Amino acid sequence: MFTILPHISRIVLASSLGVICGIGFYSFFHPSCDGFLLCIASIIIALLTLFNRSKKMWMLSVYILFIGIGVVIMDAQKNHIKSMDTFVGQKLVGEAVINRDIEQKEWYSQVTARYVDQDYSVMIKDEKYPLVSRGDHIILTCTLALPEPSVEFDYHMYLVMHDIYFMCEDYSYEINGKMDRVSKKISEFRYGVEHIVDQIIPAPESALANGLLFGGGNRLSEKIQDQFALVGMTHIVAVSGYNVSVIVAAVMGFVLFVGFRRKYAVYIAIGSIVFFIALIGFPSSGVRAGIMGIMVLIAGVYGRVTHAYGALVFAGAIMLVYNPLILRYDIGFQLSFLATLGIISTYPILERYFVSKRFAFGIIEMILLTLSAQIFVIPIIALHFYTFTPISLVVNILVLPIIPFVMLLVLLLIIFYYIYAPIALICGWMAYYLLAYEIAVISFFAQLSWSSIHIETIYPVGIVLYYCIVSIFLIRLHKNL
């Protein structure tokens, strides 16, 4: 019997893909769990009865089985969320920990806290400059409430994805005096690094530098944020697979140019990913992007391109089992997964025709890596922001190759600030001129009347069709390699 089973790597791939498809199907269509599982069981029994000696049918059965497991995982998550709604209106008093960085808004700040005897977090809309910071212990009085519904997207589910189930109404708190020293140190280090960048690089370039490193465009002025959105460049200040792909492109391009073998270049790139995620304080989005990038790099060293696909799908499945809501509600996860998939599938084709090993610092590699990612993320950006930017590709080509050098200079600025300040100053001014160039390019194209086209309705069928056409095209090209 075991001789007719597929290879274990194919089973892992089929099961991982099945979990992803099952969670995705339930997220958008909400089928009846019992009826769906009955249908799946019937299909599997029929397949194994009629084609029990076919390896392909065994693998298809594994895939279908894990679709059912994905549906069960998502159904359990949905039932858990429903059960939490029964706590709405309750008043809680007790010790809580500020478990996230304070998020500054225009008129207020968002403070997230977790009661020490509860397994969920609550959000407080506090004054503009609160007295607390990440890691502080407080005595919190809070009336649990759900967030106000939004017509743009499901804000409640977005918060639940981050383990924030309730908003605090009629709240009050006082600092307890205790603190989570690890969280506090990470937060203080991050704010200290941002302050160093602000000291050396003038605004608004300093805001963009910190956004590139730590993610988040809220440091930029509203005008510049609008310009970034108009030309489709908002993604560069979101911690996702995009940032990781930029780091990998820069590090590997430079290390290969210096003369290292590709295997050692990959190890150095993995080290740079870990360093980057540690620097930005191990945010969940950064950790997810880093895991995807590292697994794909390792698979590329020890296996073929097909192993890289398997590593990516397996990493995505593990993340979805841990938090199934990120598939629909986390743009960062979608960008990370699709950008990495784009690099795996598209870059080898482009590399064969365009990359010269003698090209200085691997600049062509950086452009092709970012172009490979762009092909796969354009529909998702359009889906979430209802805009299509015809000049997005041009702006990305003009701006993205500069970003690795900016990030490198800012990192050197931070390091030399503690070693020898004059060199930090030089790095800061070099980074400033590159950042000024990026803002100038984005501002110029954003002023063009045709820079952005507003899309009233995005049809999921159209997005699926886009990816099907791209996939067919890439499969044919890979056969010719």
Side-chain angles (χ1 to χ4, degrees):
M1 172 183 175
F2 293 105
T3 57
I4 65 172
L5 289 175
H7 190 271
I8 186 64
S9 62
R10 294 181 180 179
I11 295 177
V12 172
L13 177 62
S15 58
S16 301
L17 193 60
V19 168
I20 293 174
C21 292
I23 290 175
F25 182 79
Y26 192 99
S27 298
F28 290 95
F29 298 104
H30 311 294
S32 169
C33 187
D34 294 338
F36 191 80
L37 292 179
L38 180 62
C39 179
I40 281 180
S42 302
I43 293 173
I44 292 174
I45 292 172
L47 286 174
L48 295 183
T49 301
L50 298 174
F51 309 100
N52 64 328
R53 300 194 65 80
S54 170
K55 290 184 179 181
K56 291 183 179 179
M57 290 302 106
W58 274 95
M59 192 164 72
L60 180 60
S61 298
V62 170
Y63 169 69
I64 295 173
L65 172 64
F66 277 85
I67 287 179
I69 292 174
V71 168
V72 170
I73 290 172
M74 196 63 199
D75 187 66
Q77 181 74 23
K78 178 183 175 183
N79 291 333
H80 174 66
I81 294 170
K82 280 187 176 181
S83 69
M84 295 297 289
D85 290 347
T86 59
F87 294 103
V88 173
Q90 288 190 9
K91 185 175 182 178
L92 296 180
V93 180
E95 184 179 351
V97 183
I98 309 300
N99 59 348
R100 296 178 186 271
D101 288 327
I102 309 300
E103 190 173 345
Q104 300 286 346
K105 300 297 183 180
E106 186 175 3
W107 302 110
Y108 62 93
S109 61
Q110 289 184 171
V111 179
T112 304
R114 177 189 289 271
Y115 282 97
V116 294
D117 57 348
Q118 302 291 342
D119 59 351
Y120 56 82
S121 299
V122 297
M123 178 176 287
I124 306 166
K125 287 189 176 181
D126 204 4
E127 57 189 28
K128 175 67 175 177
Y129 300 104
L131 300 176
V132 294
S133 60
R134 182 175 180 174
D136 285 341
H137 283 237
I138 60 175
I139 302 300
L140 176 62
T141 301
C142 171
T143 300
L144 302 180
L146 296 179
E148 296 181 4
S150 171
V151 295
E152 297 179 356
F153 72 113
D154 194 336
Y155 185 52
H156 179 216
M157 293 302 294
Y158 173 79
L159 292 178
V160 170
M161 177 190 71
H162 291 289
D163 198 35
I164 304 170
Y165 281 83
F166 303 104
M167 304 292 291
C168 272
E169 292 185 348
D170 302 324
Y171 72 90
S172 63
Y173 65 81
E174 59 182 32
I175 298 176
N176 193 4
K178 301 178 183 178
M179 66 176 65
D180 182 345
R181 295 189 179 279
V182 175
S183 297
K184 194 83 170 176
K185 290 296 182 182
I186 291 175
S187 183
E188 288 176 353
F189 174 75
R190 173 173 169 173
Y191 287 131
V193 168
E194 290 191 44
H195 181 64
I196 291 170
V197 175
D198 290 336
Q199 277 185 306
I200 296 178
I201 301 178
E205 287 75 15
S206 61
L208 178 55
N210 281 320
L212 291 172
L213 277 184
F214 301 108
N218 56 339
R219 302 172 183 82
L220 299 166
S221 67
E222 188 174 340
K223 178 183 177 181
I224 295 179
Q225 288 184 53
D226 291 340
Q227 291 174 342
F228 272 58
L230 281 172
V231 297
M233 294 300 294
T234 306
H235 61 82
I236 69 173
V237 288
V239 179
S240 67
Y242 227 101
N243 303 69
V244 172
S245 67
V246 167
I247 293 169
V248 171
V251 173
M252 290 199 64
F254 178 76
V255 172
L256 289 173
F257 172 77
V258 170
F260 281 85
R261 293 172 57 187
R262 180 169 291 272
K263 181 176 181 179
Y264 297 108
V266 167
Y267 294 149
I268 296 173
I270 290 173
S272 67
I273 291 173
V274 174
F275 175 75
F276 170 70
I277 296 171
L279 179 66
I280 63 177
F282 295 100
S284 57
S285 57
V287 172
R288 286 196 296 267
I291 291 173
M292 286 185 183
I294 290 171
M295 290 196 69
V296 170
L297 283 170
I298 293 174
V301 172
Y302 293 103
R304 298 171 295 178
V305 175
T306 52
H307 294 155
Y309 285 115
L312 176 63
V313 173
F314 179 72
I318 293 299
M319 294 174 195
L320 289 177
V321 169
Y322 177 74
N323 187 353
L325 297 178
I326 62 177
L327 179 63
R328 179 170 181 179
Y329 300 102
D330 190 345
I331 301 176
F333 173 80
Q334 296 166 14
L335 291 175
S336 295
F337 189 88
L338 291 171
T340 309
L341 181 61
I343 290 170
I344 295 171
S345 59
T346 310
Y347 178 72
I349 298 172
L350 299 178
E351 182 185 35
R352 179 177 180 182
Y353 295 104
F354 296 105
V355 172
S356 170
K357 292 183 179 179
R358 296 185 298 274
F359 201 92
F361 298 105
I363 292 177
I364 293 296
E365 279 194 341
M366 297 176 203
I367 294 174
L368 296 182
L369 279 166
T370 51
L371 177 60
S372 302
Q374 267 287 304
I375 292 172
F376 272 68
V377 301
I378 284 175
I380 298 301
I381 294 173
L383 175 66
H384 289 288
F385 299 104
Y386 293 96
T387 58
F388 173 69
T389 52
I391 60 173
S392 174
L393 190 57
V394 176
V395 179
N396 274 275
I397 290 174
L398 291 174
V399 170
L400 289 179
I402 307 297
I403 291 178
F405 298 104
V406 172
M407 296 177 72
L408 176 61
L409 287 169
V410 176
L411 287 174
L412 291 174
L413 178 161
I414 296 166
I415 294 169
F416 280 107
Y417 180 86
Y418 296 101
I419 300 174
Y420 189 59
I423 297 181
L425 197 61
I426 294 171
C427 293
W429 280 104
M430 291 172 65
Y432 164 77
Y433 286 113
L434 294 178
L435 290 161
Y437 160 79
E438 292 177 353
I439 291 176
V441 169
I442 292 171
S443 299
F444 171 78
F445 283 98
Q447 293 172 6
L448 302 177
S449 58
W450 46 273
S451 64
S452 179
I453 300 173
H454 180 71
I455 303 174
E456 293 293 337
T457 305
I458 303 291
Y459 295 101
V461 175
I463 294 177
V464 172
L465 182 62
Y466 172 88
Y467 284 116
C468 287
I469 293 172
V470 170
S471 299
I472 293 170
F473 186 68
L474 289 175
I475 289 170
R476 289 187 175 181
L477 289 176
H478 274 287
K479 288 182 178 179
N480 297 327
L481 286 179

